[in-house]
Amino acid sequence: MDVVTLGPDEIRSAVSMPAAIAAVRNGFLALHRGEFEMPTRTVLRDGGFLVMSAHHRPTASAMIKTLSLDFDRDPAIVGTVVRSELGHGRQLVADAIEVTRIRTGAATGVATDLLAPPDAKTCTLVGAGGQAADQVRAVHAVRPLTELRIVSRGRERAEALAKTLGAELGIGAVVLTDPDEAVRDVDIVCCATTSTMPLFSLESLAEHAHVNAIGAYRPTMRELPDDLLADATVVIDAREAILEESGEIIHALASGAITEDDLIELGSALAEGVVKSGGRTVFKSVGVAAQDWAIADLLAQ
């Protein structure tokens, strides 16, 4: 058996964000076409361990990702991505931290390209953890930014991230302390936190704002208020996963703020277009294995 092992630096050098966005876009379209066998992920120890798998029928390839998550350690996410293909014994084993960061950012890039105003150029990032930087990189890849605001409970980490992204992307980056102030009047908001309560109010958002929410991945976690979901066009990554794992969607459904008919899967939106019910748009993602498969397949190629 031939095993190719890729660490974080090798993954970063092999996959650009525009390439990752294109691969994940194709992954969501393939998911919409029914090309994947993709069970809902296995969750152990209340989210402490996750196992995700996907089989892409046309290529007879499969990906399995195992993760452990502990937000009291750095890095919070540790694990591996393994890609196999029928017909030969070669396997790709890749660091799951980098794959997860890139694929999560890439999904945000796909959704932002579809949903954000074409002339969007300002962004607020709520959260400064391991997923945060690639949220901004992906947004910048599809909507070149001129202004970035970062708000986080850890100011020192937020300031370090602002310095890094400002220099890397060539944009002005500032750190704020009040989430409602930080999201006011911006075009795009990216939420990458482990919050259990909504991060800001609907009234603070511009009427044309697009919001990406990728941090909350368990039913007990929430980043968005019910009235935002009721007000906006809501696009999700995958219905089955969202209904089982997304705290904000589960809460909004229970409160009657939205119905399941209000939820549009990203693959469907890409293939068939989106009919907006209002000015604001939301992309809610808990992450699905097709995204990981897309990046693993890109690395394999």
Side-chain angles (χ1 to χ4, degrees), residues 81-97:
V81 169
V82 179
R83 180 192 184 274
S84 302
E85 191 173 324
L86 295 180
H88 59 70
R90 290 172 294 180
Q91 282 196 322
L92 174 76
V93 180
D95 175 72
I97 301 174

Side-chain angles (χ1 to χ4, degrees), residues 12 113 136 194 265 269:
R12 285 286 169 180
D113 196 29
V136 179
T194 56
E265 289 189 320

Side-chain angles (χ1 to χ4, degrees), residues 140-162:
H140 187 65
V142 298
R143 295 291 190 276
L145 298 172
T146 59
E147 178 188 344
L148 173 65
R149 306 173 187 175
I150 301 177
V151 57
S152 173
R153 289 182 297 180
R155 185 174 182 89
E156 184 176 340
R157 185 162 58 177
E159 289 176 344
L161 184 59

Side-chain angles (χ1 to χ4, degrees), residues 59-263:
T59 59
S61 62
M63 182 285 314
I64 298 176
K65 181 171 78 170
T66 59
L67 295 176
S68 69
L69 294 89
D70 182 352
F71 293 101
D72 292 325
R73 75 180 178 208
D74 188 16
I77 299 174
V78 175
T80 58
V81 169
V82 179
R83 180 192 184 274
S84 302
E85 191 173 324
L86 295 180
H88 59 70
R90 290 172 294 180
Q91 282 196 322
L92 174 76
V93 180
D95 175 72
I97 301 174
E98 292 306 308
V99 171
T100 301
R101 287 171 175 169
I102 292 169
R103 64 82 142 152
T104 306
T108 287
V110 173
T112 300
D113 196 29
L114 178 70
L115 299 170
D119 60 349
K121 58 186 178 182
T122 58
C123 177
T124 292
L125 172 65
V126 187
Q131 300 287 339
D134 282 307
Q135 293 295 298
V136 179
R137 292 181 180 120
V139 168
H140 187 65
V142 298
R143 295 291 190 276
L145 298 172
T146 59
E147 178 188 344
L148 173 65
R149 306 173 187 175
I150 301 177
V151 57
S152 173
R153 289 182 297 180
R155 185 174 182 89
E156 184 176 340
R157 185 162 58 177
E159 289 176 344
L161 184 59
K163 183 177 180 180
T164 296
L165 289 174
E168 176 185 330
L169 304 178
I171 58 178
V174 298
V175 175
L176 301 177
T177 57
D178 181 2
D180 282 291
E181 178 188 356
V183 303
R184 201 176 308 279
D185 299 325
V186 299
D187 302 318
I188 300 166
V189 177
C190 294
C191 304
T193 76
T194 56
S195 178
T196 58
M197 296 294 291
L199 299 169
F200 47 79
S201 65
L202 171 65
E203 292 74 20
S204 299
L205 289 171
E207 292 186 0
H208 67 276
H210 169 64
V211 179
N212 300 298
I214 61 91
Y217 66 96
R218 298 296 298 137
T220 54
M221 303 165 74
R222 291 173 66 201
E223 294 184 304
L224 307 179
D226 286 356
D227 54 358
L228 169 58
L229 296 170
D231 173 81
T233 299
V234 181
V235 175
I236 59 174
D237 48 14
R239 186 175 301 272
E240 185 177 358
I242 285 289
L243 294 178
E244 183 169 324
E245 298 178 342
S246 170
E248 46 265 280
I249 297 297
I250 292 169
H251 192 278
L253 287 169
S255 73
I258 62 172
T259 70
E260 288 189 31
D261 290 339
D262 295 318
L263 306 175

Side-chain angles (χ1 to χ4, degrees), residues 267-288:
S268 174
L270 291 168
E272 302 170 8
V274 178
V275 179
K276 295 185 179 181
S277 60
R280 298 183 182 96
T281 54
V282 166
F283 173 56
K284 173 58 201 171
S285 174
V286 294
V288 293

